[in-house]
Amino acid sequence: MTKTILIVDDEKDIRDLLAYNLSKEGFGVLTAADGNEALRQIGEHPVGLVVLDIMMPGLDGLEVCKRIRSHKDAAKLPIIFLTAKSAEVDQISGLELGADDYIQKPVSPKVLVARVKSLLRRSSLAEEETSNITDTYLKVGSLEIDRVSHRVLFSGKEIFFPKKEFDLLYFLVKSPGKIFSRDSLLNEVWGDGSYVVERTVDVHIHKLREKLDRTPFEIETVKGVGYRFIE
């Protein structure tokens, strides 16, 4: 089924440019000039992904993202942020609200189309794997993680991970494609009260990569933002 992409930006030239290029790739396209119109479109149409500008007058993109994520029927809707801001803090705040990807303006239509296709593929795979996810067990392709037995299997062969590496891997695999900042990983995996530094995350990510080196899975670095698990 063809996905419909909602483009939200207060600049008409950008909406028209992105709509034209996505339409050429066979996507259905809706547009909105502000946050309120975007929420109305999502409520009235079967939207498959949102391309959302952050800096808009009135209801900005961060607030729109927050409202989408708080609505049970749209909570898992893939979102790509567009922004003219380059500060790391802006990227992290946006992603921690629940955006799936981040593109800085000026936007290359080719890059956007590629990111849209990639995110839709990841979203589709994540939906397929949902039935293989419980509070104690994950299965993504040939990778299995069992929290009860503390075992990680790839194609039936066990790979040993010490406790914190195991916990970090489980947390990332549970949300494939989602980007997490170092701060959020420290809070979620080590806990708010832990006296560890961001470098701790980098060291553990390095160890995960070494052990996943001969598998089709990867812990990807998103420069200036954080990490995500991908296949």
Side-chain angles (χ1 to χ4, degrees), residues 6 8 34-36 38-39 42 50-54 56 59-72 74-82 90-102 178:
L6 173 61
V8 188
D34 58 56
N36 287 314
L39 293 173
I42 292 170
V50 180
V51 177
L52 180 61
D53 184 31
I54 289 182
M56 295 186 293
L59 200 65
D60 66 18
L62 294 175
E63 181 61 28
V64 172
C65 180
K66 187 176 179 181
R67 294 191 187 187
I68 291 172
R69 291 291 178 251
S70 66
H71 195 288
K72 64 177 183 178
K76 295 183 179 180
L77 187 61
I79 298 174
I80 297 176
F81 271 144
L82 302 181
D90 296 316
Q91 298 182 22
I92 291 174
S93 64
L95 291 166
E96 288 184 340
L97 278 175
D100 299 281
D101 209 340
Y102 204 99
K178 183 175 176 59

Side-chain angles (χ1 to χ4, degrees), residues 41-52:
Q41 294 271 35
I42 292 170
E44 295 178 355
H45 302 281
V47 174
L49 182 146
V50 180
V51 177
L52 180 61

Side-chain angles (χ1 to χ4, degrees), residues 4-9 14-15 18 22 30-32 38 47-54 56 68 77-82 103 107 112-113 115-116 119:
T4 296
I5 312 300
L6 173 61
I7 301 169
V8 188
D9 198 296
I14 292 178
R15 294 198 306 271
L18 300 184
L22 287 168
L30 296 170
T31 63
V47 174
L49 182 146
V50 180
V51 177
L52 180 61
D53 184 31
I54 289 182
M56 295 186 293
I68 291 172
L77 187 61
I79 298 174
I80 297 176
F81 271 144
L82 302 181
I103 301 177
V107 183
L112 178 70
V113 168
R115 297 280 188 89
V116 166
L119 183 50

Side-chain angles (χ1 to χ4, degrees), residues 171-183:
F171 182 77
L172 289 168
V173 174
K174 191 165 63 172
S175 301
K178 183 175 176 59
I179 305 170
F180 294 97
S181 69
R182 290 175 179 84
D183 278 344

